[in-house]
Amino acid sequence: MSIENVPAPEGRFNFAQHLLEANQQRAEKTAYIDDQGSLTYGELADRIKRMANALVKAGVRREERVLLLVHDCNDWPVAFLGAMYAGIVPVAVNTLLTANDYHYMLSNSRATAAIVSEALRPSLEAALAKGEHDVKTVFVSRAKGELPDAYLDLNQAIQAAAPMTAPASTSADDPGFWLYSSGSTGNPKGTVHTQANPYWTAELYGKRILGMTEADICFSAAKLFFAYGLGNALSFPLSVGATVVLMPERPTPDAVFKRWIENQPTIFFGAPTGFAGMLAAANLPRKDQVALRMASSAGEALPAEIGERFTQHFGVEIIDGIGSTEMLHIFLSNQPGKVRYGTTGWPVPGYEIELRGEDGLPVPDGETGDLYIQGPSAALMYWNNRSKTRETFQGAWTKSGDKYIRNADGTYTYAGRSDDMLKVSGIYVSPFEVEATLVQHPAVLEAAVIGKQDADGLTKTKAFVVLKEGAQVSAEDLKAFVKDKLAPYKYPRFIEFVTELPKTATGKIQRFKLRQQEADAS
């Protein structure tokens, strides 16, 4: 689809500078609120320019990488955009990983500096102790007590540095930042994004689909290190001068409700697991206690039942979409006033979608195909991983690894991850379809479906089910419930009740762990 109505960055382009220029007239307006205070747009601009200079003073050079291991707080956007302003490449990483993970990322990225939250210092230090890294300086966000040699208090370093007078003369296609993929199969992949990529997601999705404006107050349960969260709490709101609420802790229902009531956000960004947990909470706020005008969901496909219950309770829609680390944000989405719960909506204008069969050719409507995307926010590559780069980035197209079905009305229905698909009785079964049916049962909170071999060595579906607090239901009743709604071969032959499901830090169910668990038990 044409993007002729969106001006493309031309010549020299620096994303951090682009945001600062967009908000020059909002110096007194609040940009960020966290648990320890707030930053106006004027203060944000000043700290970004000082951060840029602090990195340069520490010896970090253009295009070198800086590991960003920081909980969501006002220091996060300052560090991220300060690096980009200086032409230095921030590598934003998941705050819930192990020292081994961080050691791999330090070695893989060859970062020459790191920025870390005080609470995360032990993990970073354990990673650094393993050697094989190039880190010379560590900046500590909200440091406490004395720091070792080569460590700097981030706030003091920012205050001591003069504002950088001009941004680095970068181009739209220069490497701007990295995000690491989730690494659900093998080591995570360093996904290299350009200076212009967040500009495109803000223009095409934040402004044109969500209709975000400077009057909005944004609150994202998805953290800033996640591609989804980076758009929700940085690229989108700062592109229009909105205000952002940041929360360092895990997005439990109680933590989310606290911000909904105290900060009155107008847009909330979550994931299906979070929405299910909130709707099941006894202290779910009333509609008149919140100021929400819209909610957004990504990470996994949103079950229709959850969307319908949320809308019934709060009177607002959940705009469900799918994005990826490789495409930076959402490229297929429902739209405000045009929501089809149970589907992922329509292609976002500016992106093209194709569903291809195993022969590489487009599949007709109603048939399952592999999802390919073409659009301006695609990453450049996976760092130092040519084989995976060629497998995913195929010319102008990006292969997502998801399977979808295109419906007659032009919407798309999620059919699962390519590596999660099951072949039962010679026919492909989408685990998500079975899961989405199970969660329609009033006793079921969550479900995950994998393949399990029966006594004859044939693949059948097995469901792991989490029940709502205090609810009871038998496995036979659940089997009958699914049989009544889906084709007979799809119902779960095996059901195991569990207290929780394994998930990534971004709330995606890790079915591969359940498959490994089954393999170990057999």
Side-chain angles (χ1 to χ4, degrees):
M1 187 166 293
S2 171
I3 52 174
E4 293 175 0
N5 61 331
V6 182
E10 294 181 356
R12 312 317 290 171
F13 180 80
N14 182 292
F15 182 64
Q17 173 66 1
H18 164 73
L19 294 180
L20 299 189
E21 288 179 348
N23 294 294
Q24 280 180 330
Q25 306 306 313
R26 300 187 179 98
E28 301 304 315
K29 187 175 189 293
T30 300
Y32 281 100
I33 302 168
D34 71 9
D35 289 353
Q36 294 193 18
S38 62
L39 276 180
T40 66
Y41 272 99
E43 291 166 338
L44 177 65
D46 179 67
R47 288 179 70 82
I48 286 169
K49 293 176 182 180
R50 291 177 187 272
M51 180 78 238
N53 216 6
L55 288 167
V56 172
K57 283 175 62 179
V60 186
R61 298 175 297 181
R62 275 280 297 269
E63 297 189 8
E64 288 185 338
R65 271 75 63 194
V66 174
L67 193 82
L68 180 57
L69 176 57
V70 175
H71 285 135
D72 278 20
C73 68
N74 293 344
D75 284 345
W76 205 104
V78 168
F80 184 84
L81 293 172
M84 291 187 74
Y85 191 85
I88 293 164
V89 179
V91 179
V93 298
N94 186 333
T95 57
L96 299 174
L97 301 181
T98 66
N100 286 337
D101 294 316
Y102 299 134
H103 177 250
Y104 171 80
M105 292 171 177
L106 287 167
S107 176
N108 178 253
S109 68
R110 298 196 289 275
T112 59
I115 305 170
V116 64
S117 288
E118 174 67 42
L120 297 169
R121 262 180 65 193
S123 293
L124 178 68
E125 288 170 350
L128 293 170
K130 295 175 182 291
E132 297 179 24
H133 64 80
D134 297 324
V135 174
K136 300 177 182 66
T137 308
V138 175
F139 295 86
V140 182
S141 169
R142 299 183 174 173
K144 295 179 181 177
E146 284 193 38
L147 295 175
D149 290 342
Y151 282 59
L152 297 172
D153 181 302
L154 179 65
N155 186 54
Q156 291 178 8
I158 290 172
Q159 290 178 337
M164 186 174 280
T165 55
S169 182
T170 52
S171 76
D173 291 336
D174 275 353
F177 60 95
W178 295 16
L179 300 172
Y180 270 96
S181 68
S182 59
S184 57
T185 54
N187 285 324
K189 300 178 288 292
T191 310
V192 182
H193 279 284
T194 69
Q195 285 274 352
N197 282 1
Y199 165 84
W200 285 113
T201 60
E203 290 294 322
L204 298 176
Y205 194 73
K207 293 181 181 180
R208 285 162 175 76
I209 297 296
L210 298 182
M212 192 179 292
T213 73
E214 65 179 340
D216 279 309
I217 300 174
C218 304
F219 173 41
S220 177
K223 301 302 183 183
L224 280 158
F225 66 75
F226 182 28
Y228 178 49
L230 182 65
N232 306 339
L234 192 149
S235 308
F236 298 175
L238 297 193
S239 291
V240 298
T243 296
V244 183
V245 177
L246 295 178
M247 178 178 72
E249 73 260 39
R250 287 179 57 248
T252 61
D254 285 347
V256 170
F257 298 159
K258 180 176 185 288
R259 272 73 181 187
W260 280 6
I261 293 170
E262 290 182 1
N263 301 110
Q264 294 288 292
T266 57
I267 307 180
F268 173 72
F269 301 86
T273 297
F275 284 112
M278 288 186 287
L279 287 169
N283 59 336
L284 180 69
R286 302 185 309 272
K287 177 182 177 180
D288 62 5
Q289 290 179 287
V290 303
L292 296 176
R293 71 171 183 84
M294 180 192 303
S296 166
S297 180
E300 285 200 311
L302 180 76
E305 184 256 354
I306 292 176
E308 289 161 358
R309 285 172 56 208
F310 189 91
T311 298
Q312 183 178 19
H313 182 86
F314 288 108
V316 300
E317 299 168 319
I318 299 180
I319 310 302
D320 182 35
I322 182 176
S324 68
T325 304
E326 292 76 10
M327 295 302 297
L328 190 56
H329 213 275
I330 291 171
F331 47 78
L332 183 62
S333 179
N334 281 275
Q335 300 172 19
K338 191 181 177 184
V339 170
R340 302 285 187 274
Y341 284 132
T343 80
T344 316
W346 297 263
V348 172
Y351 294 88
E352 292 183 45
I353 301 294
E354 274 192 9
L355 299 184
R356 302 178 188 174
E358 293 179 1
D359 57 3
L361 298 176
V363 300
D365 287 1
E367 290 192 15
T368 301
D370 290 307
L371 177 66
Y372 287 75
I373 316 101
Q374 181 176 174
S377 62
L380 291 171
M381 62 178 170
Y382 296 130
W383 177 260
N384 202 20
N385 197 332
R386 184 170 173 79
S387 62
K388 288 290 186 183
T389 294
R390 295 179 70 175
E391 183 182 316
T392 299
F393 303 103
Q394 301 180 11
W397 294 90
T398 300
K399 183 178 182 180
S400 74
D402 296 290
K403 287 189 179 289
Y404 263 86
I405 298 166
R406 187 179 187 274
N407 305 310
D409 63 355
T411 60
Y412 288 74
T413 299
Y414 183 63
R417 292 288 296 173
S418 298
D419 50 6
D420 286 333
M421 292 294 286
L422 307 173
K423 216 166 194 179
V424 179
S425 302
I427 306 171
Y428 274 117
V429 173
S430 161
F432 179 77
E433 183 183 19
V434 183
E435 292 162 6
T437 303
L438 281 165
V439 298
Q440 292 177 34
H441 192 285
V444 176
L445 177 64
E446 294 180 304
V449 170
I450 63 168
K452 174 183 169 68
Q453 288 193 337
D454 65 12
D456 298 319
L458 300 174
T459 298
K460 305 297 182 186
T461 49
K462 174 173 180 175
F464 294 82
V465 174
V466 180
L467 296 179
K468 294 176 182 175
E469 188 173 352
Q472 291 185 331
V473 66
S474 71
E476 292 307 313
D477 284 345
L478 286 182
K479 290 178 184 179
F481 182 80
V482 177
K483 272 186 187 178
D484 188 51
K485 295 179 179 297
L486 298 179
Y489 65 90
K490 295 182 180 180
Y491 86 91
R493 304 307 202 277
F494 311 96
I495 290 180
E496 181 177 335
F497 294 101
V498 295
T499 55
E500 61 180 356
L501 299 174
K503 294 171 187 167
T504 67
T506 53
K508 295 181 181 179
I509 295 170
Q510 294 175 308
R511 295 177 188 83
F512 76 96
K513 288 191 176 180
L514 296 173
R515 289 194 291 267
Q516 185 60 52
Q517 176 183 311
E518 282 298 305
D520 292 344
S522 62

